[in-house]
Amino acid sequence: YQRRVHGGFLSPANRGGLLTAMLLLFVLMGSFGGYTTARLAKMYHAQSWKTIFIAGIYFPGQVFAIFFTMNLMLWGKSASNAVPFTTLFSLVGLWFFVSVPLVFVGAVFGFKRPTIEHPRAINQIPRAIPLQKWYLRPPVTVILAGVIPFGAAFIELFFILSSLWLNKFYYVFGFLALVMVILTITCAEISIVMVYFQLCYEDYHWWWRSFFISGSSGMHLFLYSIFYFITTLRIKNFWSGFLYFGWMSVLSYFFTVMTGTIGFLATFLFVRKIYSSLRVD
């Protein structure tokens, strides 16, 4: 049992193995990000290399800015857990010399693909949107619907936070993979259902709504991190609390982007499917 548990890179005995694997996976997946960005940009008639470059630096740049700010604070406090300058230089090298070029490589293949055509002709004159019910307005649908994806991963999030901040071992990666599947299905379903009701009431502004409906689960995650900080952690030092909320803001932002992207792509395919099935005589 000991050999089986401690043999893989996911084992707590291999410190930093999981983080290294996640970082390399994110860097190598830049090609898929560039491909998807190119396909969507071409559909919107916004085909430009500037769009691809922004896609390659926008999210990593924001995360790196927060990370670098917190690391500067650790340097100022002469903390032993501050990330060395050579490691930061390596991360920047992975970002600009591996991840960003892979984004452009994926974009080249994406731009070569045929343009995604709308299933039906679009009216050039926007239709007036009827007054919506109070429960279908964006603040209500976005905030309330985000509770469902968050609830699907709530129990596992508790154990992950305990592993991160209370130095407890986390072994059940198989169950974590199952929770990820459930979370993906939940994000897709809640976005599709809410956008379907929105379209039934003749509100066609569904693009960003589909993203934020499932993406608002990141907001609930950050609110839960405040509750977890107050009820579970016993942190009295200001700088320790600053680091906690800094990293939790990064985690919540990542959770927002991940769940929002799942919701948008699922809704995009759903809307194309239902409109392509319409028969116009």
Side-chain angles (χ1 to χ4, degrees), residues 147-162:
V147 176
I148 299 178
F150 172 75
F154 168 72
I155 300 299
E156 208 63 22
L157 285 172
F158 173 79
F159 291 111
I160 292 175
L161 291 181
S162 298

Side-chain angles (χ1 to χ4, degrees), residues 139-208:
V140 179
T141 57
V142 167
I143 294 175
L144 294 183
V147 176
I148 299 178
F150 172 75
F154 168 72
I155 300 299
E156 208 63 22
L157 285 172
F158 173 79
F159 291 111
I160 292 175
L161 291 181
S162 298
S163 176
L164 289 174
W165 302 108
L166 297 179
N167 294 321
K168 293 183 178 180
F169 287 156
Y170 186 85
Y171 287 102
V172 285
F173 292 102
F175 189 73
L176 177 62
L178 177 62
V179 171
M180 281 297 301
V181 173
I182 296 174
L183 177 64
T184 301
I185 297 173
T186 304
C187 291
E189 288 182 344
I190 190 62
S191 294
I192 289 174
V193 169
M194 297 307 297
V195 167
Y196 177 76
F197 285 129
Q198 177 185 339
L199 294 175
C200 288
Y201 282 87
E202 302 181 33
D203 184 358
Y204 49 83
H205 293 155
W206 61 269
W207 296 82
W208 280 108

